[in-house]
Amino acid sequence: MFAGLGLPPLTGTVPGTTIQPLILGPLRAGVLICYESTFPGVARALVTQGANLLVTASNDAWFGPSTGAEQHFQMGRVRAIETRRWWVRAGNDGISAAVNPQGQVVARFPRGVAGAFTAPFGLAETRTLFIRWGDWVPLLAGIGLALMWGRQRWLTWRLAD
């Protein structure tokens, strides 16, 4: 498979079959590797399996000087809000930060700044509507809005007659 790239063959490796949090005592970290933090389904699956904190290690160097790293960070913030979990993120050239369950940034290093910081965080057990029902929440909301819009249009049409 990797012969054309000049890489040695990968032996003794097999893909995982489950998605589970990393358990360290009471801490059950839902680890999102790099761009996985942009996918709501991955965070939801980790929380469904018991994650009480979301953690991301990210390589944002490939974004170069663009705003891609900032966009990547902002997309990950939404995972904290959807799951009502603290999210801590370490970026090698990107943004390192701690975000609370409401999506507020409580500590942050900008791109290209090396260092370490101490940030508060908590372990949560909350099960949001998104965690319970997944993509059905926005789908049902969209259907509800469409029905309200249709009803309003029908009433407007009826009054015009």
Side-chain angles (χ1 to χ4, degrees), residues 61-85:
W62 64 276
F63 282 118
S66 74
T67 58
E70 181 66 31
Q71 181 182 19
H72 185 197
F73 171 69
Q74 296 300 334
M75 292 165 71
R77 280 180 66 190
V78 178
R79 305 297 78 81
I81 298 167
E82 289 170 339
T83 63
R84 288 293 189 249
R85 298 292 186 273

Side-chain angles (χ1 to χ4, degrees), residues 50-71:
N52 54 16
L53 173 74
L54 297 177
V55 177
T56 300
S58 186
N59 172 10
D60 288 340
W62 64 276
F63 282 118
S66 74
T67 58
E70 181 66 31
Q71 181 182 19

